[in-house]
Amino acid sequence: DAKVIGKDAKTDLALIKITAKRKLPTVKLGTSSDLQVGEWVAAFGNPFGHGHTMTKGIISAIGREIDELNAFPFIQTDASINPGNSGGPLVNTQGEVIGVNSAIDARAQGIGFAIPIDNVKSILPQLEHDGAVKRGFIGVAMTDIDEESAKSLGLKETEGALVTQVIPDSPAEKAGLEPYDLIIEFDGKKIGSGKDLMKVVSLLPIGKKTTIKVACV
């Protein structure tokens, strides 16, 4: 029997607790921070109900962003992934789990996607403690900036998130952000667009203090 401890639709992940009267086998969680294109990997799962299936291939790409599917950039692999593989492990040649099989591109062959295990591990404490993921919020409305907008505002930067509104009594207001501030760095990460800022902010722990770098008009 299994019980759902926590789940998060935005990342397509859940944490379950299995109650068993015997010792269950486990797999070691590796790291996805040092993955390289061309590494051999194997995917495990139950494609189309065919249980205990293993397929092999390589890592085809890393950092594949498909926002409508997942909050985390995917690992792309040509190891065959089919319906029924989702939730199964993607492992390296040491048998360590470096990703969770998640999605396919139905238009193609040999294009499957897995959630990097470091991203999985980053939300496990919240799923275990709170049953859900609480996401960061700073309280701004924003837009992207192009060369014409930057020129009209007297800005040299053409990348970043341009603040258009600051919500009263929000973290952004307390930090001194104002409309027309161009956020170019947040929490030590370069910000190229409003989408970049949303991702970085949403993944920060609630209550964390951080730094913002802005280009002012």
Side-chain angles (χ1 to χ4, degrees):
D1 294 331
K3 177 183 178 182
V4 176
I5 301 298
K7 57 184 178 179
D8 179 50
K10 194 172 182 66
T11 56
D12 196 28
L13 293 168
L15 178 66
I16 65 172
K17 181 177 181 180
I18 299 173
T19 302
K21 296 180 180 180
R22 59 184 175 86
K23 189 174 181 179
L24 299 175
T26 60
V27 289
K28 181 180 179 181
L29 302 185
T31 180
S32 52
S33 63
D34 56 359
L35 295 178
Q36 295 184 16
V37 173
E39 282 190 48
W40 285 98
V41 290
F44 292 83
N46 306 303
F48 294 105
H50 299 296
H52 306 97
T53 294
M54 169 186 170
T55 56
K56 67 177 177 66
I58 62 168
I59 294 176
S60 307
I62 54 178
R64 189 69 81 198
E65 298 196 22
I66 308 177
D67 295 331
E68 61 269 26
L69 293 181
N70 206 287
F72 298 131
F74 284 121
I75 301 167
Q76 183 180 321
T77 178
D78 67 352
S80 295
I81 293 176
N82 290 286
N85 276 110
S86 295
L90 185 72
V91 306
N92 59 19
T93 52
Q94 286 74 49
E96 300 169 332
V97 180
I98 49 90
V100 177
N101 303 328
S102 180
I104 61 173
D105 189 328
R107 303 166 299 175
Q109 290 183 336
I111 299 181
F113 303 101
I115 306 166
I117 200 64
D118 288 352
N119 295 131
V120 177
K121 290 190 285 188
S122 72
I123 70 168
L124 286 181
Q126 286 194 65
L127 292 179
E128 183 176 8
H129 185 266
D130 302 319
V133 176
K134 297 178 180 178
R135 292 187 162 81
F137 164 82
I138 60 171
V140 297
M142 57 196 169
T143 186
D144 293 340
I145 188 167
D146 53 26
E147 290 187 9
E148 185 176 340
S149 300
K151 186 176 181 180
S152 66
L153 293 171
L155 292 167
K156 295 181 180 179
E157 302 282 349
T158 56
E159 292 186 346
L162 184 67
V163 176
T164 58
Q165 181 183 2
V166 179
I167 298 174
D169 200 34
S170 65
E173 185 185 64
K174 293 174 183 177
L177 284 178
E178 298 179 348
Y180 301 110
D181 281 346
L182 182 66
I183 300 175
I184 56 177
E185 190 175 294
F186 191 94
D187 195 42
K189 299 176 179 63
K190 184 178 179 181
I191 302 300
S193 65
K195 184 173 68 174
D196 289 344
L197 181 63
M198 285 191 291
K199 281 190 175 182
V200 174
V201 171
S202 68
L203 294 176
L204 284 180
I206 304 300
K208 179 183 176 180
K209 292 184 178 180
T210 188
T211 56
I212 306 175
K213 185 177 179 180
V214 302
C216 301
V217 175

